[in-house]
Amino acid sequence: MDIKQIQELIKFVSRSGVNEVAIEQKDFKITIKTNQAPTVITTTVPAQAVAPQVLPSAPAVQPVAVTANNASAAAEADDSKYITVKSPMIGTFYRSSSPDKPSFANVGDEIAPGKVICIIEAMKLFNEIESEVSGRIVKVLVDNSSPVEYDQPLFLVEPM
């Protein structure tokens, strides 16, 4: 397995929401684990063959998680009177069903439980995300076509 295959596997695991992937070949073993923490890679290949190539990509995963956590903490501190609608999965956030269609939910719109508010695409599946709260949307926290993490804030809703 070459470095490009390993990098593609890491990207796949981070996007898919899978907690662990293990691959074993004749003289090579790799395990990638995630759980809202940086990706961990363990190998049984001699260290000089893999370490110089794998280590540079590992720090790239960590700042993304830290940034999401900091954004979440800042939003909660500033807007404690609002309900935060969070992403139920990892994927790509879309505000409408296609580029030429209107957004499901805009700032100022009233929402109720069961109303579709966005779509999150994960592994070529488009999942309609329905509201679990009623209220008025105060702020959209994610740009259209942006990647989102599990439990990342998407909308701020003023309860009614």
Side-chain angles (χ1 to χ4, degrees):
M1 186 171 247
D2 65 29
I3 187 65
K4 286 189 179 197
Q5 290 173 321
I6 292 171
Q7 289 174 336
E8 289 174 8
L9 184 60
I10 291 170
K11 287 177 187 175
F12 169 77
V13 171
S14 68
R15 280 186 263 156
S16 68
V18 176
N19 287 334
E20 182 176 343
V21 172
I23 297 176
E24 283 189 50
Q25 294 178 347
K26 191 194 269 183
D27 59 343
F28 180 79
K29 178 181 177 181
I30 184 168
T31 302
I32 301 174
K33 298 179 183 181
T34 62
N35 191 9
Q36 294 292 69
T39 302
V40 176
I41 300 175
T42 56
T43 64
T44 56
V45 175
Q48 68 272 16
V50 175
Q53 297 170 346
V54 175
L55 290 178
S57 65
V61 175
Q62 188 174 4
V64 174
V66 172
T67 304
N69 291 339
N70 288 345
S72 173
E76 288 176 18
D78 295 338
D79 304 310
S80 59
K81 64 182 177 181
Y82 301 125
I83 299 170
T84 304
V85 176
K86 297 181 180 180
S87 176
M89 64 182 67
I90 295 173
T92 304
F93 173 85
Y94 294 104
R95 295 188 61 193
S96 62
S97 57
S98 68
D100 57 335
K101 302 281 183 181
S103 297
F104 291 112
N106 294 306
V107 173
D109 289 354
E110 290 186 12
I111 58 171
K115 181 186 184 313
V116 176
I117 55 175
C118 66
I119 291 177
I120 296 183
E121 182 256 329
M123 297 182 65
K124 306 291 182 196
L125 294 176
F126 292 85
N127 304 283
E128 290 184 342
I129 307 303
E130 297 178 352
S131 174
E132 295 179 357
V133 299
S134 61
R136 186 178 55 84
I137 295 182
V138 176
K139 189 171 186 179
V140 180
L141 302 171
V142 180
D143 293 330
N144 194 39
S145 303
S146 297
V148 293
E149 297 290 326
Y150 171 76
D151 216 25
Q152 178 178 342
L154 302 175
F155 298 93
L156 287 181
V157 178
E158 182 178 33
M160 297 185 114

